[in-house]
Amino acid sequence: EAGVTQFPSHSVIEKGQTVTLRCDPISGHDNLYWYRRVMGKEIKFLLHFVKESKQDESGMPNNRFLAERTGGTYSTLKVQPAELEDSGVYFCASSIGWGRPGGGDNEQFFGPGTRLTVL
Amino acid sequence: AQSVTQLGSHVSVSEGALVLLRCNYSSSVPPYLFWYVQYPNQGLQLLLKYTSAATLVKGINGFEAEFKKSETSFHLTKPSAHMSDAAEYFCAVSDYQASNTGKLIFGQGTTLQVKP
């Protein structure tokens, strides 16, 4: 079974440009999460999808960040325009979902992350 | 609000020595607790989890952790360190009961160095 994949693995952009990160969760996982780790800080929650619906986006830094999850499958996170403080590693994670077999503890499976550098 | 504190951003041990990585949590509801490991250039991998069953939890690669409610701790241990254990370790608590999100709240991470 394929794990969570993220694309690209690295992205280097200029301040003011736009970048789109993609996450493909494990097939059949209803929950999809985005997290971010800024250098030297802890990993922080950004938002949570249940299928195609945003369940919680309380961690999104500001309106320069836009996340979508088309058809409840893959998700994209767009940063427009990018600022220097957006640099960091963006992780995606997925889980089966409560109420489904094996989903009771909401174990999350993480992708390798996308390292974003804004110059 | 839930939170996690990992004591020590860097821990160094000799190969064969005991590994002890400390994690304390704060939660107003019974927590679900997790330890993840990140090897260089890889994603986060689940080591073990506590979900209100046995308080001593065994994970992969010889690691284990004990949930101590009275101390609000979930320290990670391994009796004998291997060079391959060198990585960054993250303790996390899930807010599954406080909300319907189940998001993870992470500690700051502890980098484990294993010396030959």
Side-chain angles (χ1 to χ4, degrees):
Chain A
E1 178 183 288
V4 178
T5 58
Q6 293 186 245
F7 182 82
S9 57
H10 292 82
S11 181
V12 181
I13 61 172
E14 300 275 338
K15 175 183 172 181
Q17 290 185 322
T18 297
V19 63
T20 300
L21 313 181
R22 173 170 171 144
C23 168
D24 285 80
I26 293 173
S27 177
H29 280 194
D30 288 344
N31 288 328
L32 188 148
Y33 300 84
W34 284 98
Y35 295 87
R36 178 175 75 170
R37 190 183 194 194
V38 172
M39 186 181 294
K41 301 288 184 65
E42 67 270 27
I43 300 168
K44 285 196 169 179
F45 166 80
L46 295 178
L47 87 158
H48 168 220
F49 286 98
V50 177
K51 297 184 180 180
E52 68 276 6
S53 299
K54 290 177 188 175
Q55 190 72 25
D56 181 352
E57 50 185 330
S58 61
M60 294 287 261
N62 50 60
N63 59 10
R64 295 186 293 103
F65 289 75
L66 176 64
E68 295 179 327
R69 189 178 183 192
T70 306
T73 56
Y74 70 91
S75 175
T76 58
L77 180 63
K78 183 164 72 174
V79 185
Q80 179 181 30
E83 299 289 346
L84 299 179
E85 63 265 25
D86 301 331
S87 296
V89 180
Y90 290 77
F91 292 101
C92 175
S94 70
S95 65
I96 293 174
W98 293 282
R100 295 180 57 197
D105 58 20
N106 199 41
E107 178 181 338
Q108 295 179 31
F109 297 83
F110 280 77
T114 293
R115 182 174 296 277
L116 175 64
T117 302
V118 183
L119 302 175
Chain B
Q2 294 171 301
S3 66
V4 173
T5 301
Q6 290 183 240
L7 299 176
S9 58
H10 288 83
V11 170
S12 182
V13 300
S14 298
E15 191 173 19
L18 171 71
V19 175
L20 171 61
L21 305 183
R22 299 179 186 274
C23 172
N24 288 87
Y25 70 91
S26 172
S27 178
S28 58
V29 297
Y32 280 177
L33 294 159
F34 302 82
W35 274 100
Y36 283 87
V37 60
Q38 185 180 24
Y39 299 104
N41 301 315
Q42 295 186 29
L44 278 72
Q45 179 182 1
L46 182 68
L47 271 179
L48 48 80
K49 58 186 175 184
Y50 167 77
T51 57
S52 75
T55 56
L56 181 62
V57 181
K58 295 186 183 299
I60 62 171
N61 301 338
F63 285 93
E64 63 182 37
E66 186 172 8
F67 172 71
K68 292 186 176 180
K69 183 178 179 181
S70 61
E71 299 177 7
T72 61
S73 69
F74 191 56
H75 302 329
L76 182 71
T77 60
K78 182 174 180 177
S80 176
H82 294 168
M83 297 297 293
S84 60
D85 294 327
E88 190 164 18
Y89 293 79
F90 298 92
C91 182
V93 62
S94 170
D95 80 338
Y96 81 103
Q97 288 207 74
S99 75
N100 58 359
T101 295
K103 64 179 180 285
L104 295 173
I105 296 101
F106 285 89
Q108 300 91 327
T110 298
T111 299
L112 176 65
Q113 179 188 27
V114 182
K115 298 176 292 185

